[in-house]
Amino acid sequence: MSHGARVIRTGVSSGGPAAPPPVTVASSSAGSDAELMDGGYFRSCAGMLKVAQMISLLIGFISVNNSSWTDYSAYSFFQIVSMCDLVMILFFYIMHIFRVYRKLTCVSWPLAEFLHYLIGTILLLIASIVAAAKSYNITGLVAGATFGFLATILCVISMWSSYKVSCITQSTSK
């Protein structure tokens, strides 16, 4: 298995000043590693999916928060689950943008993100079902439950796509 030839330049020569290094593929990829932010993640499908999840969770939270409640426990559970999910999705979004996963290699980031989506999606589905059942046709509560279901669907899509990518990556690397 060939990884390509690498040229090591010391910059010191007995014949005079060193010439500038030639532009190679390795130096261009090293330049992208030195950047602080990953600009391509903003426009990627996974990045836009995370933004859509955060927006739907925020709209659902605001809709429920600004409505008159009839059942305190059902809607406080919905608010807690939606805010915890939003914070975790924002955490993983920032982690991808600033490439933290490259610096902290002691954590299996794909597994951590998959488990977050698995647990968060189940809790969000339960919270949305309970919120829809206890809404009593109050528009703000119905809207909150609807955006909760939308966020659940987006989380399932994200979980499925991350699992699919993980399986493809593992199967082709052998």
Side-chain angles (χ1 to χ4, degrees):
M1 195 161 132
S2 173
H3 294 287
R6 293 189 181 194
V7 177
I8 299 174
R9 297 182 141 285
T10 61
V12 178
S13 174
S14 60
V23 177
T24 61
V25 176
S27 66
S28 65
S29 67
S32 66
D33 289 343
E35 294 176 5
L36 179 62
M37 292 176 57
D38 185 9
Y41 192 74
F42 291 117
R43 294 176 299 277
S44 71
C45 184
M48 289 190 282
L49 194 58
K50 279 187 180 27
V51 170
Q53 292 167 1
M54 289 187 286
I55 289 172
S56 62
L57 284 168
L58 186 63
I59 291 173
F61 174 81
I62 290 171
S63 298
V64 168
N65 194 39
N66 291 335
S67 298
S68 59
W69 293 2
T70 55
D71 190 359
Y72 180 77
S73 62
Y75 291 106
S76 62
F77 177 67
F78 180 83
Q79 285 184 322
I80 290 169
V81 168
S82 64
M83 277 296 105
C84 287
D85 233 8
L86 184 118
V87 167
M88 287 304 297
I89 292 169
L90 180 65
F91 170 75
F92 283 113
Y93 187 71
I94 290 172
M95 183 199 67
H96 281 288
I97 288 176
F98 290 111
R99 300 179 181 167
V100 176
Y101 59 90
R102 290 185 181 174
K103 294 174 182 73
L104 296 174
T105 57
C106 59
V107 176
S108 174
W109 291 108
L111 179 63
E113 193 168 3
F114 178 76
L115 289 176
H116 157 258
Y117 276 120
L118 182 68
I119 294 168
T121 303
I122 291 169
L123 289 175
L124 190 59
L125 179 64
I126 292 169
S128 297
I129 290 171
V130 170
K134 303 277 185 170
S135 67
Y136 303 114
N137 291 330
I138 299 172
T139 42
L141 301 178
V142 171
T146 303
F147 279 103
F149 284 122
L150 176 65
T152 303
I153 292 168
L154 292 172
C155 286
V156 167
I157 292 170
S158 184
M159 184 174 55
W160 178 78
S161 66
S162 70
Y163 179 71
K164 184 180 87 170
V165 168
S166 297
C167 288
I168 291 172
T169 304
Q170 290 174 358
S171 64
T172 59
S173 65
K174 290 182 181 178

